[in-house]
Amino acid sequence: MNTESFYQQLQEICPGRRTLTRDVDLLPYESDALVAFSTKPAAVVLPESAEEVVAIVKVCYAAGVPFVARGSGTSLSGGSMPIKDGVVIALNRLNAIKHIDPEQRTAVVEPGVVNLHISNAVKQYGLYYAPDPSSQSICTIGGNVAFNSGGAHCLKYGMTSNHVLGLKVVLPDGEIVEFGSESLEGMGVGPDLIGLFVGSEGLFGIALEITVRLLPIPEQYKTVLAGYDTLEKAGDAVSAVVASGLLPGAMEIMDRLALKAAEAAVKTGYPEGAAAVLIVELEGESQQVEREFEHLVNVIEGSGAFEIQVAQNEAHRAKIWKGRKGAFSSVGRLSPDYIVQDGVVPRSQLGKALAEIEKVSNSYGLQVANVFHAGDGNLHPLILYNGREQGALEHAEALAGEILAICIKLGGTLTGEHGIGIEKRDYMPQLFSETDLDAMYAIRNRIDDKGIANPGKKLPGGEAPALKMHGMHPLEKAGIISRE
Amino acid sequence: MNASEISEIIKKSSKVVPKGGRTKPGSLCDMPSDATVIDLTQLCGIVEYEPDEYTITAKAGTSIKTLIEAVAANGQYLPFDPLFKDNGATLGGTIAANSSGSGRYRYGGIRDFILGIYFVDGMGNIVRGGGKVVKNASGFDLSKFMVGSLGRYGILTEITMKVFPKPAEYRTLEVTFGSLEDALNCTFALANTPFEMDALDFRRVTRDGRETNLWIRLGGLPESLPGRLNRLSSWLEQNTSAQTIIRKEFDGTHWDGLNDVEWGQEAKNLIKVPVSPRKLLTLDKCESINRAHYYGGGNVALVSADDLGGLTSTLNNLKLNGQLLRGDAEHPHLGNRGWVGLAQRVKQALDPDSKFLGV
């Protein structure tokens, strides 16, 4: 490749300070929220239109230069980390909400739109965008599409993929394809290409325009918090809620260590001395929720909780959630560094999974705090360690791998919402057979024959960048983002 | 019959066509004379049902009715109201043809409830996609990809679906409007209210008349339903041009009939058209359409049309596409297929020797 001519072509598409190549300008783009890894790209480009993105992709394809699209860089799996000597296509300037159709409950947005900005824009119509990753105040919808982001409400409402109706994408060779529609049925005819593209972690190209479905803002929320003297009782309470036929919007559990951290950080007012706390939230039409809540409280009262708190108003509800949402950053008070994992187990295996995690973490001599979406079995074990100690990171990484193996053994999966990225790609063969992976490679190769779209992510193999460090992302330390 | 046997058949054959319950006769059941037909009704049975997990795993040839009865015994249901359940539709065929009904309005269609699959590709490989848990971001989502795939990318052998707790009771309102426009305006107004409707279907009472019936289904606890129904009725009286509002005690047969497409039993061709409610008015004016019912708040039109050429022309003009659920045509897809090039790339990866029918 003629490097000079390549840079010149990028400059022609994104003139002036919209093409960055100096080391000092590239530095902020070397990592995403998985700060353990960093790689220097060759260039960062800041397109301002879909046409410019397509032109950049075409130039990269012609030169065989790898690229990664990046929004706010909040990926916890290293998904938006640069490719060595590749191009970072930063999409933050494509941040227009192009169209809102309140009557059909849809919106058409560009990939750089921040998740929460959609809900803010449609609130006036009594609508919201449901997927709520905890970084929703800064993460972009393009990244959500690439990683099929989740949140606390996935059991009832699904993940990002369930809220995307249509896509306009540029494939790695520069071809533009549109699929889906403004109908709630999405594709409706033909294989579900939306389902295939969402969660493909940038390996199939870049979303240029996304049609999302919107939901009516629930008329009422009813939130209950219960303290238990054992983690097992909290887990059993979740099973009892499920067996009662209720469909809560969220069910969350925190264990003793996570509670200790949260209390120290934000004065949660959670039950003192609890080994576990369960939060259950119902939402919907007032008359229905009021009645359902009576059933829920009966179930919780019969579940062996030693203290039950019912949110009396919106401020109280916000306080209950503050402890949960801030749990991860709070753990930073207990330990200089931690790794968070994102495995999923069948809900009925939660108790067994937690017992096994405790056993294996004891054998490693490491503390693990547990905060998880109990409703959908999505664990978030936080492995505490001190990165200044020689070999501590590698030791913690080894425990993380054992925890993922436990999730797979119990019938679960590697990631519920953070994605595979760089972080978990080498565990993929534990989850999928060689034949399964071959099928994924074959599809990837047909869509990206030069392998230039975010190579080295999601699928196993490829050169791994060196581990640098773990610890909290600066935005996490500032309390702006949290790992749900 | 099992996945390994299907794999062997595919490896030995030059052309393979899967066959389910044959509830969608015509192009969707096209059996070229040189093709080996694999009867998937022989591959049936529930593999695993975990009510506490909200998941059920079944073989592809399992009838939808069997599934619905199994989960109903535990107070659960498939919220998307699969079509043709009483006619013998199978799980695999329902996924491959992407045929969901009235209930898709509230929580989504088949794609929103499929969690994992096993399928046999065109090389005879048994491939897994997705998993058995309700939240999963590992690997490419081949499960969703197979929704609407018409058996042309692989043969589904086993599927895991998410299920939900079934509302304890239902109530239905039948609301009559002077025109389809008025009914649509009602759905637009309802879109910005907090009413949680389980289903919202409508159709013109007669094809040559303007009068239109709208059916709204509410589900929930028996102690809250009367109050919710009163509130919704009052809102409809005050905010829409409804001519009559009739409360129906739900006995299920009304909705079962709609989802078995009883209204279109005599239709020569039955076509599914994903459509936005806003385009629906123009689609409805297509002279080639003999009858039509609008499911899912007007997001899925099922239409009968003798003249497929005329319908295709309307679909092209509206940048819509359609899929035959019954009837014959050169290809079961009609109208605008701008996505076919990308689908073709996946086809080449999964079925390089074109053992299955073309996309």
Side-chain angles (χ1 to χ4, degrees):
Chain A
M1 179 187 77
N2 181 336
T3 312
E4 206 163 302
S5 138
F6 178 72
Y7 287 150
Q8 198 178 338
Q9 288 179 71
L10 293 181
Q11 271 286 354
E12 279 166 17
I13 300 163
C14 294
R17 293 283 295 153
R18 293 204 288 122
T19 295
L20 310 174
T21 52
R22 294 187 308 164
D23 282 359
V24 64
D25 292 329
L26 300 178
L27 194 63
Y29 295 91
E30 287 185 4
S31 280
D32 54 20
L34 184 71
V35 288
F37 299 96
S38 70
T39 296
K40 194 164 75 176
V44 174
V45 283
L46 302 162
E48 292 180 341
S49 68
E51 291 73 24
E52 288 183 359
V53 177
V54 174
I56 294 161
V57 169
K58 284 182 175 171
V59 165
C60 288
Y61 183 76
V65 173
F67 63 84
V68 56
R70 179 186 164 112
S72 299
T74 55
S75 171
L76 291 165
S77 58
S80 55
M81 211 194 75
I83 317 301
K84 189 172 181 297
D85 297 328
V87 172
V88 173
I89 306 175
L91 297 170
N92 309 68
R93 296 186 184 195
L94 274 75
N95 61 355
I97 296 177
K98 299 183 81 166
H99 180 61
I100 296 170
D101 188 335
E103 293 178 332
Q104 297 193 122
R105 291 186 189 161
T106 59
V108 181
V109 302
E110 290 188 322
V113 171
V114 168
N115 172 304
L116 194 58
H117 292 180
I118 301 176
S119 290
N120 291 344
V122 302
K123 192 177 178 186
Q124 59 184 309
Y125 306 111
L127 302 172
Y128 78 117
Y129 176 66
D132 59 345
S134 52
S135 54
Q136 70 177 143
S137 60
I138 56 167
C139 66
T140 61
I141 205 76
N144 291 178
V145 166
F147 283 81
N148 196 11
S149 304
H153 297 83
C154 293
L155 175 66
K156 189 169 180 181
Y157 296 113
M159 302 165 69
T160 297
S161 191
N162 305 100
H163 299 267
V164 175
L165 303 175
L167 286 169
K168 178 180 176 183
V169 309
V170 55
L171 301 180
D173 56 10
E175 183 184 338
I176 299 168
V177 190
E178 289 185 60
F179 42 94
S181 64
E182 286 189 340
S183 163
L184 283 184
E185 188 73 351
M187 283 289 293
V189 166
D192 192 349
L193 293 167
I194 295 170
L196 184 69
F197 192 90
V198 177
S200 60
E201 302 194 5
L203 273 67
F204 294 156
I206 300 173
L208 301 170
E209 209 170 271
I210 301 129
T211 304
V212 297
R213 81 167 166 142
L214 306 168
L215 295 180
I217 295 171
E219 189 175 23
Q220 186 166 8
Y221 292 95
K222 292 289 266 183
T223 311
V224 62
L225 178 145
Y228 296 88
D229 54 14
T230 67
L231 193 51
E232 195 182 358
K233 282 185 188 169
D236 289 346
V238 171
S239 300
V241 172
V242 168
S244 74
L246 294 169
L247 184 59
M251 281 194 280
E252 305 283 312
I253 289 181
M254 296 166 69
D255 75 357
R256 192 187 297 276
L257 193 56
L259 289 168
K260 185 180 158 193
E263 185 60 38
V266 295
K267 298 272 176 281
T268 57
Y270 289 170
E272 250 178 71
V277 151
L278 167 68
I279 301 169
V280 185
E281 186 165 271
L282 296 173
E283 57 190 36
E285 230 180 296
S286 293
Q287 294 179 60
Q288 172 78 357
V289 171
E290 292 285 355
R291 298 295 184 189
E292 284 182 342
F293 197 66
E294 292 168 12
H295 289 264
L296 176 63
V297 170
N298 282 339
V299 173
I300 297 292
E301 281 176 350
S303 68
F306 70 81
E307 186 178 328
I308 297 171
Q309 298 177 7
V310 174
Q312 299 301 326
N313 49 44
E314 188 50 39
H316 192 186
R317 174 178 172 250
K319 193 178 176 196
I320 287 175
W321 276 109
K322 191 176 177 188
R324 166 60 188 88
K325 291 268 181 186
F328 281 35
S329 50
S330 305
V331 168
R333 289 172 170 250
L334 302 182
S335 170
D337 300 289
Y338 64 79
I339 294 174
V340 59
Q341 278 302 346
D342 172 43
V344 181
V345 294
R347 198 170 27 231
S348 59
Q349 302 292 321
L350 274 172
K352 198 181 277 184
L354 292 168
E356 290 204 26
I357 289 171
E358 188 179 5
K359 198 171 148 195
V360 70
S361 57
N362 284 341
S363 75
Y364 271 72
L366 291 173
Q367 281 193 305
V368 175
N370 286 291
V371 180
F372 51 94
H373 307 303
D376 50 36
N378 192 184
L379 301 168
H380 287 312
L382 293 106
I383 303 165
L384 314 188
Y385 71 99
N386 184 352
R388 291 196 186 90
E389 290 171 7
Q390 183 75 22
L393 169 59
E394 289 73 13
H395 191 56
E397 284 275 342
L399 174 56
E402 293 218 25
I403 291 175
L404 289 178
I406 290 169
C407 293
I408 294 170
K409 187 183 78 182
L410 293 174
T413 190
L414 287 170
T415 171
E417 55 191 0
H418 296 174
I420 298 293
I422 280 185
E423 189 200 25
K424 292 180 279 284
R425 63 180 188 175
D426 292 333
Y427 298 111
M428 285 284 275
Q430 290 185 35
L431 182 64
F432 290 107
S433 72
E434 200 177 328
T435 312
D436 304 336
L437 290 170
D438 282 348
M440 291 185 211
Y441 278 118
I443 295 170
R444 150 78 161 172
N445 293 339
R446 285 289 175 180
I447 294 176
D448 181 9
D449 62 341
K450 290 188 178 177
I452 58 167
N454 212 11
K457 315 287 174 66
K458 197 167 184 88
L459 299 173
E463 194 180 325
L467 273 174
K468 193 175 69 177
M469 57 159 285
H470 264 284
M472 293 173 76
H473 190 278
L475 289 174
E476 234 176 337
K477 281 182 184 159
I480 294 170
I481 61 170
S482 57
R483 304 165 192 228
E484 209 165 315
Chain B
M1 173 77 71
N2 58 37
S4 300
E5 287 169 22
I6 292 172
S7 166
E8 286 308 311
I9 295 170
I10 291 174
K11 283 176 186 167
K12 287 177 189 158
S13 310
S14 58
K15 205 65 153 180
V16 182
V17 177
K19 171 171 123 30
R22 294 187 67 82
T23 53
K24 305 161 195 83
S27 288
L28 284 194
C29 294
D30 193 12
M31 309 286 171
S33 55
D34 59 341
T36 306
V37 175
I38 299 180
D39 184 358
L40 289 173
T41 56
Q42 304 301 307
L43 182 71
C44 63
I46 292 166
V47 178
E48 200 176 302
Y49 173 37
E50 301 285 351
D52 286 355
E53 300 294 340
Y54 292 165
T55 58
I56 187 162
T57 301
K59 293 179 184 169
T62 310
S63 80
I64 286 288
K65 195 168 185 177
T66 302
L67 278 181
I68 288 176
E69 285 171 359
V71 300
N74 284 284
Q76 297 181 337
Y77 76 137
L78 295 170
F80 51 85
D81 282 345
L83 297 179
F84 307 115
K85 79 171 162 62
D86 288 324
N87 303 49
T90 62
L91 176 60
T94 300
I95 292 165
N98 192 2
S99 47
S100 48
S102 310
R104 69 109 42 247
Y105 181 71
R106 175 86 192 273
Y107 292 114
I110 296 164
R111 70 180 301 274
D112 300 300
F113 285 85
I114 191 166
L115 298 175
I117 52 165
Y118 279 92
F119 69 97
V120 189
D121 71 13
M123 295 161 284
N125 297 314
I126 301 168
V127 181
R128 181 165 78 99
K132 290 186 175 177
V133 284
V134 296
K135 192 174 184 183
N136 193 355
S138 308
F140 298 135
D141 196 344
L142 298 179
S143 314
K144 281 198 180 62
F145 175 80
M146 285 296 176
V147 175
S149 62
L150 299 180
R152 289 159 192 245
Y153 303 80
I155 296 181
L156 290 167
T157 57
E158 188 180 300
I159 299 111
T160 300
M161 302 293 293
K162 179 165 82 168
V163 297
F164 269 171
K166 189 174 184 178
E169 283 188 22
Y170 291 105
R171 296 284 189 281
T172 297
L173 284 180
E174 182 178 272
V175 192
T176 304
F177 292 92
S179 68
L180 182 62
E181 288 90 329
D182 288 349
L184 264 172
N185 285 334
C186 173
T187 68
F188 288 150
L190 279 168
N192 305 138
T193 67
F195 296 116
E196 293 196 322
M197 293 157 290
D198 201 58
L200 187 69
D201 275 18
F202 48 93
R203 74 160 173 259
R204 283 198 272 155
V205 177
T206 57
R207 191 64 195 157
D208 48 7
R210 284 167 54 82
E211 200 175 57
T212 300
N213 277 337
L214 174 77
W215 294 283
I216 303 174
R217 186 169 77 195
L218 293 183
L221 295 170
E223 55 266 43
S224 71
L225 274 171
R228 291 172 62 204
L229 208 63
N230 282 339
R231 188 175 167 218
L232 178 58
S233 296
S234 303
W235 186 92
L236 290 165
E237 280 167 16
Q238 287 163 20
N239 295 283
T240 72
S241 52
Q243 294 177 337
T244 57
I245 302 172
I246 300 168
R247 295 174 193 208
K248 293 194 156 186
E249 283 302 311
F250 181 76
D251 61 0
T253 52
H254 168 76
W255 295 98
D256 283 352
L258 291 181
N259 292 311
D260 282 331
V261 200
E262 283 174 358
W263 60 268
Q265 257 175 354
E266 307 302 322
K268 178 182 153 202
N269 301 310
L270 188 66
I271 304 101
K272 169 194 171 178
V273 181
V275 58
S276 61
R278 211 175 294 291
K279 284 185 178 175
L280 193 141
L281 271 182
T282 317
L283 175 70
D284 186 76
K285 291 191 176 103
C286 172
E287 288 181 357
S288 304
I289 294 177
N290 308 119
R291 296 201 70 186
H293 183 92
Y294 303 117
Y295 293 81
N299 284 276
V300 185
L302 251 58
V303 303
S304 75
D306 291 342
D307 170 19
L308 289 179
L311 176 66
T312 302
S313 164
T314 300
L315 293 179
N316 281 329
N317 289 341
L318 288 170
K319 292 187 178 168
L320 294 173
N321 54 20
Q323 175 187 282
L324 278 169
L325 290 177
R326 184 188 310 150
D328 279 304
E330 205 170 311
H331 192 287
H333 290 161
L334 310 174
N336 176 27
R337 298 203 308 158
W339 45 266
V340 79
L342 179 55
Q344 191 68 45
R345 296 194 198 201
V346 184
K347 167 85 170 171
Q348 286 160 358
L350 297 178
D351 182 26
D353 300 324
S354 298
K355 297 261 178 115
F356 309 125
L357 296 177
V359 300

PDB file of all heavy atoms in Angstrom, chain B residues 37 46 72 104 108 116 145 153 166 252 263 278 294 298-299 317 319 332 340:
ATOM      1  N   VAL B  37     -37.308 -35.068  -0.786  1.00  0.00           N
ATOM      2  CA  VAL B  37     -38.147 -34.375   0.193  1.00  0.00           C
ATOM      3  C   VAL B  37     -37.907 -34.967   1.585  1.00  0.00           C
ATOM      4  O   VAL B  37     -37.936 -36.187   1.757  1.00  0.00           O
ATOM      5  CB  VAL B  37     -39.644 -34.510  -0.181  1.00  0.00           C
ATOM      6  CG1 VAL B  37     -40.522 -33.883   0.902  1.00  0.00           C
ATOM      7  CG2 VAL B  37     -39.898 -33.852  -1.533  1.00  0.00           C
ATOM      8  N   ILE B  46     -41.123 -32.569  22.154  1.00  0.00           N
ATOM      9  CA  ILE B  46     -40.529 -31.548  23.023  1.00  0.00           C
ATOM     10  C   ILE B  46     -39.278 -32.144  23.664  1.00  0.00           C
ATOM     11  O   ILE B  46     -39.316 -33.235  24.244  1.00  0.00           O
ATOM     12  CB  ILE B  46     -41.551 -31.099  24.084  1.00  0.00           C
ATOM     13  CG1 ILE B  46     -42.674 -30.329  23.379  1.00  0.00           C
ATOM     14  CG2 ILE B  46     -40.900 -30.220  25.153  1.00  0.00           C
ATOM     15  CD1 ILE B  46     -43.898 -30.106  24.206  1.00  0.00           C
ATOM     16  N   ALA B  72     -49.285 -24.154  27.964  1.00  0.00           N
ATOM     17  CA  ALA B  72     -50.524 -23.692  28.612  1.00  0.00           C
ATOM     18  C   ALA B  72     -50.766 -24.443  29.913  1.00  0.00           C
ATOM     19  O   ALA B  72     -51.324 -23.896  30.867  1.00  0.00           O
ATOM     20  CB  ALA B  72     -51.712 -23.868  27.665  1.00  0.00           C
ATOM     21  N   ARG B 104     -48.545 -10.494  17.973  1.00  0.00           N
ATOM     22  CA  ARG B 104     -47.227  -9.915  17.747  1.00  0.00           C
ATOM     23  C   ARG B 104     -47.199  -8.428  18.117  1.00  0.00           C
ATOM     24  O   ARG B 104     -46.147  -7.835  18.261  1.00  0.00           O
ATOM     25  CB  ARG B 104     -46.761 -10.127  16.298  1.00  0.00           C
ATOM     26  CG  ARG B 104     -47.493  -9.360  15.258  1.00  0.00           C
ATOM     27  CD  ARG B 104     -46.685  -8.230  14.616  1.00  0.00           C
ATOM     28  NE  ARG B 104     -45.329  -8.593  14.325  1.00  0.00           N
ATOM     29  CZ  ARG B 104     -44.290  -8.051  14.939  1.00  0.00           C
ATOM     30  NH1 ARG B 104     -44.475  -7.135  15.875  1.00  0.00           N
ATOM     31  NH2 ARG B 104     -43.068  -8.376  14.614  1.00  0.00           N
ATOM     32  N   GLY B 108     -43.857  -8.514  20.183  1.00  0.00           N
ATOM     33  CA  GLY B 108     -43.050  -8.814  19.008  1.00  0.00           C
ATOM     34  C   GLY B 108     -43.419 -10.145  18.375  1.00  0.00           C
ATOM     35  O   GLY B 108     -44.292 -10.868  18.863  1.00  0.00           O
ATOM     36  N   GLY B 116     -32.533 -20.099  20.225  1.00  0.00           N
ATOM     37  CA  GLY B 116     -31.440 -20.938  19.741  1.00  0.00           C
ATOM     38  C   GLY B 116     -31.942 -21.969  18.750  1.00  0.00           C
ATOM     39  O   GLY B 116     -33.136 -22.295  18.723  1.00  0.00           O
ATOM     40  N   PHE B 145     -31.660 -15.147  12.054  1.00  0.00           N
ATOM     41  CA  PHE B 145     -31.493 -15.186  10.596  1.00  0.00           C
ATOM     42  C   PHE B 145     -32.435 -16.209   9.958  1.00  0.00           C
ATOM     43  O   PHE B 145     -32.964 -15.994   8.867  1.00  0.00           O
ATOM     44  CB  PHE B 145     -30.039 -15.503  10.226  1.00  0.00           C
ATOM     45  CG  PHE B 145     -29.828 -15.679   8.753  1.00  0.00           C
ATOM     46  CD1 PHE B 145     -29.702 -14.570   7.927  1.00  0.00           C
ATOM     47  CD2 PHE B 145     -29.800 -16.944   8.180  1.00  0.00           C
ATOM     48  CE1 PHE B 145     -29.543 -14.722   6.559  1.00  0.00           C
ATOM     49  CE2 PHE B 145     -29.645 -17.108   6.812  1.00  0.00           C
ATOM     50  CZ  PHE B 145     -29.509 -15.997   5.998  1.00  0.00           C
ATOM     51  N   TYR B 153     -31.639 -21.967   3.391  1.00  0.00           N
ATOM     52  CA  TYR B 153     -30.271 -21.745   3.888  1.00  0.00           C
ATOM     53  C   TYR B 153     -29.824 -22.895   4.784  1.00  0.00           C
ATOM     54  O   TYR B 153     -28.652 -23.003   5.129  1.00  0.00           O
ATOM     55  CB  TYR B 153     -30.193 -20.432   4.673  1.00  0.00           C
ATOM     56  CG  TYR B 153     -30.632 -19.230   3.888  1.00  0.00           C
ATOM     57  CD1 TYR B 153     -31.986 -18.944   3.723  1.00  0.00           C
ATOM     58  CD2 TYR B 153     -29.697 -18.392   3.279  1.00  0.00           C
ATOM     59  CE1 TYR B 153     -32.401 -17.846   2.978  1.00  0.00           C
ATOM     60  CE2 TYR B 153     -30.099 -17.291   2.549  1.00  0.00           C
ATOM     61  CZ  TYR B 153     -31.462 -17.027   2.406  1.00  0.00           C
ATOM     62  OH  TYR B 153     -31.857 -15.940   1.675  1.00  0.00           O
ATOM     63  N   LYS B 166     -48.872 -16.497  30.772  1.00  0.00           N
ATOM     64  CA  LYS B 166     -50.070 -16.079  30.025  1.00  0.00           C
ATOM     65  C   LYS B 166     -50.963 -15.231  30.928  1.00  0.00           C
ATOM     66  O   LYS B 166     -51.156 -15.591  32.098  1.00  0.00           O
ATOM     67  CB  LYS B 166     -50.828 -17.329  29.572  1.00  0.00           C
ATOM     68  CG  LYS B 166     -51.955 -17.032  28.623  1.00  0.00           C
ATOM     69  CD  LYS B 166     -52.585 -18.302  28.095  1.00  0.00           C
ATOM     70  CE  LYS B 166     -53.654 -17.929  27.070  1.00  0.00           C
ATOM     71  NZ  LYS B 166     -54.280 -19.089  26.469  1.00  0.00           N
ATOM     72  N   GLY B 252     -62.010 -16.929  23.150  1.00  0.00           N
ATOM     73  CA  GLY B 252     -60.853 -17.442  22.395  1.00  0.00           C
ATOM     74  C   GLY B 252     -61.150 -17.718  20.943  1.00  0.00           C
ATOM     75  O   GLY B 252     -60.278 -17.579  20.090  1.00  0.00           O
ATOM     76  N   TRP B 263     -61.023 -16.323   7.717  1.00  0.00           N
ATOM     77  CA  TRP B 263     -61.622 -15.371   6.780  1.00  0.00           C
ATOM     78  C   TRP B 263     -61.063 -15.546   5.363  1.00  0.00           C
ATOM     79  O   TRP B 263     -61.667 -15.140   4.386  1.00  0.00           O
ATOM     80  CB  TRP B 263     -61.362 -13.928   7.253  1.00  0.00           C
ATOM     81  CG  TRP B 263     -59.884 -13.612   7.358  1.00  0.00           C
ATOM     82  CD1 TRP B 263     -59.106 -13.751   8.452  1.00  0.00           C
ATOM     83  CD2 TRP B 263     -59.033 -13.138   6.302  1.00  0.00           C
ATOM     84  NE1 TRP B 263     -57.811 -13.399   8.172  1.00  0.00           N
ATOM     85  CE2 TRP B 263     -57.737 -13.010   6.854  1.00  0.00           C
ATOM     86  CE3 TRP B 263     -59.213 -12.790   4.950  1.00  0.00           C
ATOM     87  CZ2 TRP B 263     -56.637 -12.577   6.103  1.00  0.00           C
ATOM     88  CZ3 TRP B 263     -58.128 -12.354   4.216  1.00  0.00           C
ATOM     89  CH2 TRP B 263     -56.860 -12.256   4.795  1.00  0.00           C
ATOM     90  N   ARG B 278     -49.047   3.532   8.074  1.00  0.00           N
ATOM     91  CA  ARG B 278     -49.223   4.699   7.207  1.00  0.00           C
ATOM     92  C   ARG B 278     -49.323   4.314   5.728  1.00  0.00           C
ATOM     93  O   ARG B 278     -50.031   4.952   4.949  1.00  0.00           O
ATOM     94  CB  ARG B 278     -48.056   5.675   7.409  1.00  0.00           C
ATOM     95  CG  ARG B 278     -48.457   7.125   7.207  1.00  0.00           C
ATOM     96  CD  ARG B 278     -47.333   8.063   7.526  1.00  0.00           C
ATOM     97  NE  ARG B 278     -46.944   8.076   8.913  1.00  0.00           N
ATOM     98  CZ  ARG B 278     -47.691   8.554   9.913  1.00  0.00           C
ATOM     99  NH1 ARG B 278     -48.890   9.047   9.661  1.00  0.00           N
ATOM    100  NH2 ARG B 278     -47.269   8.544  11.153  1.00  0.00           N
ATOM    101  N   TYR B 294     -55.846  -6.943   8.732  1.00  0.00           N
ATOM    102  CA  TYR B 294     -54.638  -6.260   9.188  1.00  0.00           C
ATOM    103  C   TYR B 294     -54.342  -6.647  10.631  1.00  0.00           C
ATOM    104  O   TYR B 294     -55.109  -6.342  11.546  1.00  0.00           O
ATOM    105  CB  TYR B 294     -54.807  -4.745   9.010  1.00  0.00           C
ATOM    106  CG  TYR B 294     -55.117  -4.406   7.560  1.00  0.00           C
ATOM    107  CD1 TYR B 294     -56.320  -3.803   7.187  1.00  0.00           C
ATOM    108  CD2 TYR B 294     -54.214  -4.761   6.567  1.00  0.00           C
ATOM    109  CE1 TYR B 294     -56.610  -3.537   5.853  1.00  0.00           C
ATOM    110  CE2 TYR B 294     -54.495  -4.503   5.221  1.00  0.00           C
ATOM    111  CZ  TYR B 294     -55.694  -3.897   4.878  1.00  0.00           C
ATOM    112  OH  TYR B 294     -55.971  -3.668   3.549  1.00  0.00           O
ATOM    113  N   GLY B 298     -51.929  -3.193  12.408  1.00  0.00           N
ATOM    114  CA  GLY B 298     -51.768  -2.762  11.010  1.00  0.00           C
ATOM    115  C   GLY B 298     -50.331  -2.851  10.530  1.00  0.00           C
ATOM    116  O   GLY B 298     -49.955  -2.219   9.553  1.00  0.00           O
ATOM    117  N   ASN B 299     -49.521  -3.665  11.189  1.00  0.00           N
ATOM    118  CA  ASN B 299     -48.127  -3.826  10.760  1.00  0.00           C
ATOM    119  C   ASN B 299     -47.914  -5.061   9.891  1.00  0.00           C
ATOM    120  O   ASN B 299     -46.859  -5.224   9.295  1.00  0.00           O
ATOM    121  CB  ASN B 299     -47.193  -3.903  11.978  1.00  0.00           C
ATOM    122  CG  ASN B 299     -46.984  -2.538  12.607  1.00  0.00           C
ATOM    123  OD1 ASN B 299     -46.140  -1.776  12.175  1.00  0.00           O
ATOM    124  ND2 ASN B 299     -47.798  -2.203  13.609  1.00  0.00           N
ATOM    125  N   ASN B 317     -44.444  -0.207  -6.108  1.00  0.00           N
ATOM    126  CA  ASN B 317     -44.667   1.243  -6.003  1.00  0.00           C
ATOM    127  C   ASN B 317     -44.514   1.738  -4.570  1.00  0.00           C
ATOM    128  O   ASN B 317     -44.047   2.847  -4.334  1.00  0.00           O
ATOM    129  CB  ASN B 317     -46.075   1.613  -6.500  1.00  0.00           C
ATOM    130  CG  ASN B 317     -46.181   1.466  -8.000  1.00  0.00           C
ATOM    131  OD1 ASN B 317     -45.154   1.447  -8.686  1.00  0.00           O
ATOM    132  ND2 ASN B 317     -47.391   1.323  -8.513  1.00  0.00           N
ATOM    133  N   LYS B 319     -42.637   0.335  -2.344  1.00  0.00           N
ATOM    134  CA  LYS B 319     -41.367  -0.196  -1.807  1.00  0.00           C
ATOM    135  C   LYS B 319     -41.628  -1.204  -0.694  1.00  0.00           C
ATOM    136  O   LYS B 319     -40.986  -1.185   0.355  1.00  0.00           O
ATOM    137  CB  LYS B 319     -40.468   0.931  -1.312  1.00  0.00           C
ATOM    138  CG  LYS B 319     -39.940   1.814  -2.423  1.00  0.00           C
ATOM    139  CD  LYS B 319     -38.938   2.786  -1.882  1.00  0.00           C
ATOM    140  CE  LYS B 319     -38.386   3.625  -3.026  1.00  0.00           C
ATOM    141  NZ  LYS B 319     -37.618   4.760  -2.579  1.00  0.00           N
ATOM    142  N   PRO B 332     -41.904 -17.424  -4.055  1.00  0.00           N
ATOM    143  CA  PRO B 332     -42.871 -17.010  -3.014  1.00  0.00           C
ATOM    144  C   PRO B 332     -42.733 -15.558  -2.573  1.00  0.00           C
ATOM    145  O   PRO B 332     -43.611 -15.030  -1.891  1.00  0.00           O
ATOM    146  CB  PRO B 332     -42.574 -17.969  -1.851  1.00  0.00           C
ATOM    147  CG  PRO B 332     -41.287 -18.627  -2.157  1.00  0.00           C
ATOM    148  CD  PRO B 332     -41.061 -18.532  -3.633  1.00  0.00           C
ATOM    149  N   VAL B 340     -31.641  -8.823  -1.281  1.00  0.00           N
ATOM    150  CA  VAL B 340     -31.370 -10.201  -1.704  1.00  0.00           C
ATOM    151  C   VAL B 340     -29.875 -10.470  -1.946  1.00  0.00           C
ATOM    152  O   VAL B 340     -29.397 -11.583  -1.744  1.00  0.00           O
ATOM    153  CB  VAL B 340     -32.249 -10.578  -2.934  1.00  0.00           C
ATOM    154  CG1 VAL B 340     -31.673 -10.019  -4.217  1.00  0.00           C
ATOM    155  CG2 VAL B 340     -32.442 -12.078  -3.012  1.00  0.00           C
TER     156      VAL B 340
END
